Structures are given as structure tokens and as C-alpha cells.
Amino acid sequence: MVYIKKDIKELITSMDRKFTLGKEIKKWVKNNISTSHNLIIKTRDEYYCTNCRKIFYSKAKVGETITCPKCKKNFLVRSNRLKNYKYIDDFRILEFINGYFVIRGFEVLSEYNNFKFEHYISEYQRLVITKDKKYLLFSNKFKTYIFGCYVNHYEKQIKWRLHDNYYSNYYYSNGLMYLGNIEADVKNTLYEYCNLKSPIIDYTKVDSITLLQKILNNPTSYELLNKLGLTNLSIVCDRFNIKGSFEKRFGVPKEYLPFMVKHNITYDELKVLRVIRRKNIKLIRKLSTLNCFDELSSKLDMIKALDNGLNSFNEHIYRDYLNFAERLQFDMKDKRTLYPKDIIKAHDKLLKQVKDIEDKEMIENIIKRYEELKDKTYKNKKYIIYPVPSYSDLIIESKMQNNCVCSYNFRYANHEVDLYFMRLVSNMSKSLVTIEVRDNKVVQSRIKNNKLPSMEQLSFIKTWENKFLNI
């Protein structure tokens, strides 16, 4: 954490002057949070509700949650021997000041002691949202330690500090959001008619922080989508900040608007509607669940594909099958290619053909790689180092050394890594050391069972590296 920068000190001062915790907010907190922070205390057959402070009789056991017959609220039953008990909850308040949205983070602490609850509300966080940045501020009440963080409700709040840590998202308050004063805040601004009290500003449905930043940058688009009744699309208002006709903005003719409004379609559903142009919400929602929809729809008639058995369980198999067909240069306009009778069988058949081709290419490329690297062969009277000559040599090396070097076949063939064998000149047929090189540097050298070579062997490898790799 660092001290607040000079360029936002004025904003912080403005916030301190303006922001309060009025009666309406305290009432909202009591109704939505504090009221649930209560217990029913059992003393034999008598049950005392700490919320309404009334006594009633019941046979409920300690640990059960029951409804108080007086205030009609549900609370946990605890024994009268209970000494202390705590509830902790977060809530947020959305404010607008100096052209910025500010989300204030509060913690509500309720402490039970001797049949009574004391409630504490402490503001410990302010998130300032601008068009291009976010500034996370913490009060001195917010404490961090090696295992986590906490809010000290008993300390006086005297200063704010800016948090610029990479992991600041971890600390974002995400409780219920109070929107009671936001309409007055944005009055006579670009955001006056943006309907900021919409239920979509709810962390359970959408990332409210990201959305508020989008609204700052796209107020007209957000306002239009809300007025049309397309609140699900307003979540991605930045995608509709386009001037021109309805079709240019949405990708479909205006005749689809009533259908879109009726079903309040999402952006994924709109992408499907753009492709199939059918007013069938069941069909649209079925297709919108496909993760590969964009890729598949560029190659298939999606209605025919569904009739052919496409679903969310086999869509990746279908996608890979089409990629294999292209790799094998099939006719991608032939219906028999696009809509096979059995997708899984067709996929497995083409997979084998592609694998055979790739294996053949890999074997040929390893031979080419040897030709490219053979000038780096080096030997003295005892040892020799030379590049891997073939795929079969790689397999033999892997078996003799009991290592996984054969799994490097494609990386070697594709120039991602260079592989060398080190042998005794007197016994070239027996593997000795396997060497891996990346960016002209030895990154690994191992003898059998992945053990390190001897000092003499390492010295020879280092001499070779200096002469042939570090040029």
C-alpha cells in the first residue's frame, strides 16, 4: 500500500465532505442485513428473540433455525450459556461524484453479549471508477496480515490510502448494493436517464464494476438499450456504440425488435439470431449454449447440424472433425462431409488419417533437422556429441536411458528444441548422455534414469557449448 497520490487528493477530500451514512441508509442496512444478525436464546422451555426482545415457548433444539412467532423472522437457536457470538457482512453504496462512480465498501459487525446485540458499521473501502482506470482506497480501519485481512471497528477512521497491488481484486467488497441516492447524484449529467437502479447492477448477475466503467464510456448506448427493454444487452453496451440503422447496430432487421424485447435476449442469443434469423427462442437458447457456436456456424447450417445430432456434449468433437476434414482437403461444401451419419465414428476415422500424416511429416522433419544441425557435431578421443538423426534413434534413446525424450519428437521436428546424443567414441551404439538445447544454451543433460552426468562429461559438454552454441 502507498500514500494517496496528489492528483486524486482533491477527489478524496470531496468524498469526505459529501459522503455520509444517513437515516435512510441505516434503515436499509437494518432491514437487509442487521435484522438477520440475531439469535433465539433457549433457557429450558423459554425462548428469547434478540430481534423483537420477546419471550415465547417451543420445543426446538439448540442448533436449529426456527421462526419467531412474535416478529416472524427466522433465527438460529443457541443456549443461554452462550457467551459471545459474531455476525459479519459486507454492503456497498454506489455514489457519483466529480464525473466518477464510487463504490463504498462497508462491513457490518454484530456482537452478541448477555442477551443483547451491538451493531457496528464501518466504511473501510472506496473504489473510484473512471473511464479508463480504477483506484482502490482503504481506510486505516482495514488491516492486513500474513493469513488474510480484517476490519478494526474500534479504531477511529482518520485517513485513506491508495492500494495499487496487483492482487487488489481479492479485496473488492461484494456485498449487497444500496442505490438509494444515485438518481439524485446523476441528475443533470450525461447519466441522468441511464436507469442505474436497474436490477442488473447486482454482483450476483453481472460484474458491476466493469459495467459501471462501460456506462461511463457508453452512456447513450446503455440508455438506449434500457429504454428499448433490452436490459440483458445493456450489460454489454460497449458492443452497440455504433451510429446508423437498427440493423447496423444489432446485426438484424428492425422487425426482430419485438421478439428481442419479449424475450430480453442476451448477447449470446443475439449472435445466434444474427445467424439463423428465426424467431424461435427455444432453438436460439439451445444454440447459444454451444461454446463453439462461432466456429461451427462459419462452416455449418446450424439447424441441419442440430438435426444431425450436434449438442453441447459433442460440439468439440464435431469442431475437431471439421478441422480434420479441412486438413485432409475434403470438399467442405459436400453435405456428406459436413453432416456425417455418426459424428464420433467419423471423427475417429479422420483423426487416424491426420495422425498418420503428422507422424510421417514429423519423421521427415527430424531427418531435415539433423541435416541442419550436423555441423555442430563435436568429438575428442573419448566422447562425441551429435544431433538426433531420426525418430527411431529417439525411441531407442528413450528406452535405453529410461527417460521421456521420445515425447519431444514434435518439438524437435518443429524447431522448438534441439536434441543431441553424447556417446563414447569407442561404443557409439550405446547411449550415454541425452542433451536438450534451447536458444543455443544447454538446459538439460542427463544419463540413465535422469541422473546427472559426471564432472568429466559435464566439462566436455561445456566445452562443446562454448565452441558451437555460444558463437
Side-chain angles (χ1 to χ4, degrees):
M1 297 179 77
V2 297
Y3 286 104
I4 296 173
K5 296 177 182 179
K6 290 182 180 179
D7 59 343
I8 58 169
K9 275 189 176 180
E10 185 180 340
L11 175 63
I12 307 308
T13 303
S14 298
M15 287 194 286
D16 285 332
R17 285 198 305 264
K18 178 184 175 183
F19 293 163
T20 59
L21 200 61
K23 290 182 180 179
E24 287 187 7
I25 297 175
K26 289 180 179 178
K27 183 179 179 181
W28 179 85
V29 171
K30 183 179 185 300
N31 292 335
N32 290 275
I33 300 172
S34 298
T35 297
S36 63
H37 290 190
N38 277 285
L39 297 169
I40 291 175
I41 305 300
K42 179 180 184 299
T43 304
R44 296 183 180 178
D45 292 335
E46 283 189 355
Y47 291 75
Y48 173 74
C49 175
T50 62
N51 180 53
C52 63
R53 301 181 183 181
K54 299 287 178 66
I55 294 174
F56 62 94
Y57 295 90
S58 174
K59 294 184 179 180
K61 296 179 181 179
V62 171
E64 291 182 6
T65 298
I66 64 172
T67 303
C68 170
K70 308 295 182 177
C71 63
K72 309 300 181 184
K73 303 290 183 182
N74 295 327
F75 300 119
L76 180 68
V77 177
R78 296 303 302 263
S79 166
N80 67 337
R81 292 189 295 273
L82 180 67
K83 300 292 184 181
N84 297 291
Y85 199 82
K86 288 184 180 181
Y87 284 103
I88 293 177
D89 270 307
D90 263 18
F91 75 93
R92 300 174 294 169
I93 299 176
L94 179 62
E95 311 268 12
F96 186 78
I97 182 171
N98 295 0
Y100 302 137
F101 285 115
V102 178
I103 297 178
R104 303 166 65 193
F106 294 79
E107 184 177 273
V108 180
L109 168 67
S110 299
E111 284 189 330
Y112 170 81
N113 187 16
N114 193 26
F115 290 84
K116 291 182 181 180
F117 266 104
E118 292 289 339
H119 303 286
Y120 305 90
I121 301 175
S122 294
E123 183 177 9
Y124 69 92
Q125 180 186 112
R126 287 176 181 173
L127 179 64
V128 181
I129 303 169
T130 72
K131 288 184 178 181
D132 57 349
K133 288 184 179 181
K134 294 177 289 224
Y135 298 96
L136 184 61
L137 305 165
F138 286 110
S139 83
N140 55 291
K141 289 191 172 190
F142 182 79
K143 309 293 182 181
T144 58
Y145 58 102
I146 192 168
F147 298 112
C149 56
Y150 70 98
V151 177
N152 185 352
H153 290 267
Y154 312 108
E155 184 173 344
K156 285 189 176 181
Q157 185 165 304
I158 55 174
K159 60 185 177 181
W160 290 91
R161 300 178 78 184
L162 176 66
H163 193 288
D164 61 354
N165 193 290
Y166 177 79
Y167 298 101
S168 59
N169 283 344
Y170 174 78
Y171 297 118
Y172 285 171
S173 172
N174 62 359
L176 292 173
M177 188 179 287
Y178 177 78
L179 304 168
N181 302 322
I182 193 65
E183 287 182 344
D185 287 351
V186 298
K187 196 169 184 179
N188 300 320
T189 72
L190 287 171
Y191 313 99
E192 182 173 1
Y193 302 106
C194 280
N195 188 22
L196 292 169
K197 280 195 172 182
S198 171
I200 62 170
I201 307 271
D202 181 348
Y203 77 97
T204 61
K205 299 177 182 178
V206 67
D207 178 357
S208 54
I209 296 169
T210 301
L211 178 57
L212 287 167
Q213 198 163 50
K214 288 179 181 179
I215 293 171
L216 282 174
N217 287 286
N218 309 280
T220 305
S221 176
Y222 180 81
E223 180 184 332
L224 171 66
L225 291 163
N226 269 279
K227 283 183 176 178
L228 289 174
L230 299 170
T231 56
N232 281 331
L233 293 183
S234 68
I235 296 169
V236 287
C237 56
D238 53 315
R239 297 178 184 269
F240 300 96
N241 199 14
I242 304 167
K243 292 182 179 179
S245 66
F246 182 93
E247 186 164 3
K248 188 175 180 181
R249 190 186 292 263
F250 292 97
V252 293
K254 195 171 183 178
E255 65 181 83
Y256 287 92
L257 177 58
F259 172 79
M260 292 162 62
V261 173
K262 179 181 178 181
H263 300 286
N264 193 14
I265 66 170
T266 65
Y267 187 70
D268 286 338
E269 291 165 358
L270 177 61
K271 287 198 294 184
V272 175
L273 182 61
R274 286 169 177 169
V275 172
I276 68 171
R277 300 293 178 100
R278 290 197 185 185
K279 298 176 183 178
N280 185 330
I281 195 61
K282 287 185 179 180
L283 178 62
I284 288 170
R285 285 177 178 163
K286 187 175 183 179
L287 287 170
S288 70
T289 62
L290 299 179
N291 294 317
C292 303
F293 177 82
D294 292 342
E295 193 174 349
L296 292 172
S297 62
S298 66
K299 300 171 183 177
L300 300 170
D301 179 322
M302 296 304 290
I303 309 299
K304 289 182 180 178
L306 282 179
D307 293 339
N308 195 55
L310 172 66
N311 55 52
S312 57
F313 299 103
N314 65 20
E315 59 172 313
H316 293 93
I317 294 174
Y318 212 136
R319 179 201 59 190
D320 292 343
Y321 160 77
L322 293 172
N323 290 336
F324 294 154
E326 287 181 329
R327 175 82 169 78
L328 296 167
Q329 298 183 341
F330 282 24
D331 181 2
M332 299 308 290
K333 293 183 179 179
D334 189 331
K335 292 181 180 178
R336 290 172 296 180
T337 299
L338 296 175
Y339 311 103
K341 290 182 180 179
D342 189 318
I343 295 171
I344 295 176
K345 280 187 178 180
H347 168 274
D348 293 346
K349 183 180 178 181
L350 296 197
L351 173 61
K352 187 177 184 305
Q353 293 180 41
V354 169
K355 192 174 185 305
D356 289 343
I357 290 173
E358 288 180 347
D359 285 348
K360 185 179 178 182
E361 289 177 347
M362 179 266 295
I363 291 168
E364 291 174 353
N365 286 337
I366 286 179
I367 295 170
K368 290 178 183 178
R369 193 77 187 116
Y370 169 75
E371 291 297 323
E372 293 170 359
L373 297 174
K374 67 181 181 180
D375 290 342
K376 295 183 179 180
T377 300
Y378 173 63
K379 70 177 182 177
N380 63 13
K381 291 183 180 180
K382 188 173 183 179
Y383 298 116
I384 182 171
I385 293 176
Y386 60 94
V388 173
S390 68
Y391 179 49
S392 58
D393 287 310
L394 205 55
I395 294 173
I396 292 168
E397 179 81 358
S398 191
K399 288 181 179 177
M400 292 180 71
Q401 293 285 70
N402 192 27
N403 62 26
C404 61
V405 71
C406 64
S407 66
Y408 285 58
N409 51 4
F410 282 99
R411 279 175 277 182
Y412 180 49
N414 294 330
H415 298 68
E416 295 173 21
V417 64
D418 296 338
L419 300 174
Y420 293 86
F421 296 154
M422 179 174 166
R423 300 278 193 267
L424 287 169
V425 173
S426 60
N427 191 356
M428 294 278 290
S429 62
K430 184 178 179 181
S431 64
L432 183 64
V433 184
T434 311
I435 302 169
E436 177 189 350
V437 173
R438 293 177 189 265
D439 299 323
N440 290 322
K441 185 177 180 181
V442 175
V443 296
Q444 203 173 183
S445 57
R446 295 287 187 271
I447 61 172
K448 190 171 183 178
N449 295 322
N450 278 315
K451 293 181 180 180
L452 289 173
S454 68
M455 293 303 295
E456 182 186 43
Q457 292 163 346
L458 287 171
S459 177
F460 180 77
I461 293 168
K462 189 64 179 177
T463 302
W464 165 74
E465 182 180 19
N466 291 334
K467 282 189 176 184
F468 291 91
L469 303 183
N470 298 334
I471 300 174

